[in-house]
């Protein structure tokens, strides 16, 4: 017992040596308070009573949100308050001293720990404990805490995250330490909060939980869940990601408008695809890398990429159909030229009347005419036979020309039908792409 008193007396001397403002009344007060004090003893009259500890978290700033590693780094002030029956005195007996400060390492402290903490570091030196004359003890401990936070990037960059900060006693159950929210409030303290440049704080709520584990179903364990709800500030991402994505989508839309005759349909689509690939490389450095959920923006750009590739494929098909010389099947002609083309307001070429009808080649020889008596009959027959041969030769040439003209007209009509089919496919793909782009933008907008 004497050795314990000597050690306590030496500790008081060291404390007084560091406090130049300490006077004889304070020295006497410290001697009376800590003459028989043991920091390993819970401050209760009976061992069956729990120590009522009021706890509050003050959020000072959000330092970093690491979505890839699912970590949240915050600067917090942890506020503790409890009653110690040994720290009561009458201020009039000690020179009207109503409160004192004392090193926290020399007192009993509740072992409140952040359950989901990954790393923590204190700011500055170990803080002192504030002790009032009525026995109330309070401690404010600042620190930087890194905690786990399950993030959902499905709606990036219009996402909202909810990160939990769970605090509770590490070794003492609810029968030893009764952990309560300070002043019974449902919100954490935001006094002195410094806004973050990337995240907007929506809510900082707290819930008190009493948990019973399978190992000890009769023993309560108390923890406090602080939920930090934040939403991402969107201006940077809208200017640098969303607007360029919309421009790329519109450039892909232009691919369907360029006529095939210009010869630039494929080259323009390839250029847009190259721009999209470069934009993908830039986007990788901005988008958090995680496989837990695929951001809607990534899905949107992937959709644009797929449609761009399909547009190039469609353009190649349209160009191929434009130069096709094969006879169009009747089914395709009925589908594209007669059914879909009028619905899509695509002009069709009406079949023209052939310039030349078929010329008969089986011309019979005319009967000999009754010429005048002064001309010999043999001479007339010879002239009639020569004229018939010339006429048959002319008719044969006209028939060949008529066949060639009919074949040319059929070829031109067939090429026109293929061009109409290509235009119909182009128009259908344009409508499908526009509807898909509109619906995708509406889904993202409504989700936000």
């Amino acid at each position: 017992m004497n050795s314990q008193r000597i050690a306590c007396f030496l500790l008081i001397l060291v404390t007084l040596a560091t406090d130049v403002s300490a006077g004889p009344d304070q020295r006497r007060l410290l001697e009376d308070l800590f003459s028989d004090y043991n920091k390993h003893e819970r401050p209760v009259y009976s061992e069956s009573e729990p120590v009522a500890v009021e706890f509050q978290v003050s959020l000072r700033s959000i330092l970093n949100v690491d979505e890839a590693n699912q970590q949240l780094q915050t600067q917090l002030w942890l506020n503790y308050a409890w009653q110690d029956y040994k720290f009561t005195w009458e201020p009039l007996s000690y020179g009207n001293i109503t409160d004192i400060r004392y090193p926290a390492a020399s007192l009993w402290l509740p072992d409140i720990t952040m359950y989901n903490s990954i790393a923590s570091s204190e700011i500055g030196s170990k803080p002192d404990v504030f002790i009032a004359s009525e026995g109330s003890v309070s401690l404010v401990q600042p620190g930087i805490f890194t905690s786990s936070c399950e993030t959902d990037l499905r709606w990036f960059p219009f996402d909202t995250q909810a990160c939990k900060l769970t605090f509770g006693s590490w070794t003492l159950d609810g029968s030893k330490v009764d952990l309560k929210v300070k002043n019974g409030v449902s919100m954490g303290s935001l006094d002195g909060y410094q806004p973050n440049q990337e995240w907007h704080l929506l809510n900082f709520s707290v819930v008190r939980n009493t948990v019973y584990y399978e190992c000890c179903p009769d023993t309560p364990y108390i923890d406090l869940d602080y939920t930090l709800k934040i939403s991402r500030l969107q201006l940077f991402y809208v200017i640098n990601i969303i607007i360029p994505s919309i421009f790329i989508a519109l450039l892909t839309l232009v691919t369907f408008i360029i006529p095939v005759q210009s010869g630039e349909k494929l080259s323009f689509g390839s250029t847009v695809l190259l721009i999209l690939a470069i934009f993908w490389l830039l986007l990788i450095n901005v988008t958090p890398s995680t496989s837990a959920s695929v951001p809607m923006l990534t899905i949107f750009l992937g959709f644009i990429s797929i449609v761009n590739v399909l547009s190039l494929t469609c353009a190649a098909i349209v160009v191929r159909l434009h130069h096709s010389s094969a006879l169009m099947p009747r089914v395709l002609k009925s589908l594209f030229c007669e059914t879909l083309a009028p619905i899509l307001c695509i002009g069709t070429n009406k079949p023209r009347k052939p310039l030349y009808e078929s010329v008969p080649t089986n011309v019979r020889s005319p009967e000999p005419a009754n010429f005048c008596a002064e001309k010999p009959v043999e001479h007339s027959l010879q002239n009639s036979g020569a004229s018939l041969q010339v006429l048959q030769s002319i008719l044969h040439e006209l028939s060949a020309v008529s066949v060639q003209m009919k074949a040319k007209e059929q070829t031109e009509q067939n090429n026109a039908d293929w061009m109409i089919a290509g235009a119909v496919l182009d128009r259908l793909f344009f409508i499908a792409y526009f509807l898909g782009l509109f619906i995708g933008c509406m889904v993202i907008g409504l989700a936000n």
Side-chain angles (χ1 to χ4, degrees):
M1 190 68 178
N2 293 330
S3 60
Q4 200 173 36
R5 289 186 176 181
I6 294 174
C8 184
F9 182 72
L10 293 176
L11 180 61
I12 293 174
L13 290 179
V14 172
T15 305
L16 294 177
T18 58
D19 189 359
V20 296
S21 62
D25 292 328
Q26 184 174 356
R27 185 180 303 112
R28 184 164 50 88
L29 175 60
L30 293 176
E31 290 176 356
D32 294 341
L33 292 178
F34 293 96
S35 60
D36 192 22
Y37 181 80
N38 187 350
K39 70 175 184 178
H40 303 291
E41 178 185 350
R42 288 190 307 119
V44 289
Y45 287 105
S46 175
E47 292 299 328
S48 60
E49 297 180 4
V51 180
V53 179
E54 291 189 343
F55 182 78
Q56 185 183 48
V57 175
S58 297
L59 179 63
R60 307 295 295 180
S61 62
I62 300 173
L63 301 180
N64 184 35
V65 179
D66 189 352
E67 298 95 337
N69 297 317
Q70 296 193 347
Q71 295 180 2
L72 170 69
Q73 189 178 42
T74 53
Q75 180 184 355
L76 307 175
W77 285 8
L78 307 183
N79 300 271
Y80 307 83
W82 67 94
Q83 288 290 128
D84 194 331
Y85 71 95
K86 293 184 178 181
F87 295 149
T88 57
W89 70 88
E90 181 60 41
L92 295 178
S93 301
Y94 297 93
N96 288 328
I97 298 177
T98 57
D99 56 74
I100 59 173
R101 275 77 174 169
Y102 204 78
S106 303
L107 299 179
W108 178 90
L109 300 176
D111 58 341
I112 306 301
T113 307
M114 181 188 288
Y115 287 167
N116 58 334
S117 174
I118 298 176
S120 63
S121 61
E122 296 181 355
I123 300 177
S125 58
K126 194 73 175 179
D128 288 345
V129 174
F130 179 87
I131 304 175
S133 59
E134 66 274 8
S136 62
V137 183
S138 59
L139 170 65
V140 179
Q141 180 180 355
I144 297 176
F145 297 85
T146 303
S147 58
S148 59
C149 176
E150 186 176 353
T151 57
D152 185 7
L153 298 176
R154 186 176 307 171
W155 301 111
F156 173 86
F158 305 100
D159 53 330
T160 299
Q161 307 297 337
C163 300
K164 284 189 175 183
L165 309 175
T166 305
F167 295 88
S169 177
W170 187 250
T171 59
L172 301 176
D173 54 56
S175 62
K176 303 295 189 297
V177 172
D178 185 12
L179 187 61
K180 301 179 181 180
V181 180
K182 189 175 182 179
N183 299 326
V185 297
S186 60
M187 301 292 294
S189 175
L190 297 177
D191 295 337
Y193 172 72
Q194 298 178 356
N196 187 272
Q197 297 297 321
E198 186 178 358
W199 296 92
H200 173 62
L201 179 62
L202 300 177
N203 194 5
F204 188 43
S205 59
V206 57
V207 176
R208 183 177 184 269
N209 303 315
T210 302
V211 184
Y212 293 89
Y213 296 99
E214 295 181 359
C215 63
C216 33
D218 298 330
T219 305
Y221 287 87
I222 303 174
D223 61 64
L224 301 179
D225 274 341
Y226 283 85
T227 302
L228 191 67
K229 192 172 183 181
I230 53 178
S231 64
R232 194 187 303 269
L233 297 178
Q234 306 159 1
L235 181 60
F236 172 82
Y237 298 96
V238 168
I239 295 177
N240 295 280
I241 297 180
I242 302 298
I243 294 179
S245 301
I246 295 176
F247 285 160
I248 293 176
L250 294 178
L251 285 177
T252 306
L253 197 64
V254 174
T255 306
F256 306 108
I257 304 176
I258 299 178
V260 182
Q261 295 83 354
S262 65
E264 299 295 333
K265 199 175 186 68
L266 289 175
S267 60
F268 184 82
S270 302
T271 304
V272 175
L273 188 61
L274 180 60
I275 295 174
L276 188 61
I278 297 175
F279 187 73
W280 268 106
L281 296 177
L282 299 176
L283 183 64
I284 291 175
N285 298 326
V286 180
T287 307
S289 56
T290 177
S291 300
S293 58
V294 181
M296 184 60 66
L297 180 61
T298 304
I299 297 176
F300 177 70
L301 291 179
F303 168 74
I304 295 178
S305 303
I306 294 174
V307 173
N308 189 269
V309 173
L310 292 178
S311 68
L312 285 177
T313 305
C314 183
I317 295 174
V318 170
V319 173
R320 178 67 182 86
L321 294 180
H322 181 76
H323 298 285
S324 177
S325 58
L327 183 63
M328 176 179 284
R330 179 58 190 171
V331 177
L332 295 181
K333 185 174 182 179
S334 175
L335 176 63
F336 288 108
C337 301
E338 299 175 5
T339 304
L340 294 178
I343 296 176
L344 299 175
C345 301
I346 297 177
T348 57
N349 296 325
K350 297 181 179 180
R352 295 178 299 176
K353 185 177 180 181
L355 296 177
Y356 295 92
E357 299 290 345
S358 59
V359 180
T361 56
N362 52 348
V363 181
R364 294 182 304 172
S365 300
E367 296 181 356
N370 188 13
F371 295 98
C372 298
E374 61 272 9
K375 292 185 179 180
V377 176
E378 294 81 2
H379 182 72
S380 299
L381 292 175
Q382 290 179 356
N383 291 337
S384 177
S387 299
L388 180 62
Q389 292 179 355
V390 172
L391 182 60
Q392 288 180 344
S393 175
I394 293 174
L395 290 176
H396 181 73
E397 294 295 333
L398 289 176
S399 177
V401 171
S402 175
V403 170
Q404 292 179 0
M405 293 297 296
K406 288 174 63 177
K408 183 178 180 181
E409 289 179 355
Q410 290 178 355
T411 302
E412 291 178 353
Q413 184 63 38
N414 188 65
N415 293 338
D417 292 340
W418 283 117
M419 292 175 61
I420 293 173
V424 169
L425 285 177
D426 226 11
R427 188 69 56 84
L428 288 175
F429 208 76
F430 172 83
I431 296 173
Y433 177 81
F434 181 79
L435 291 177
L437 184 63
F438 178 76
I439 294 174
C441 292
M442 288 296 295
V443 169
I444 295 177
L446 292 176
N448 181 38

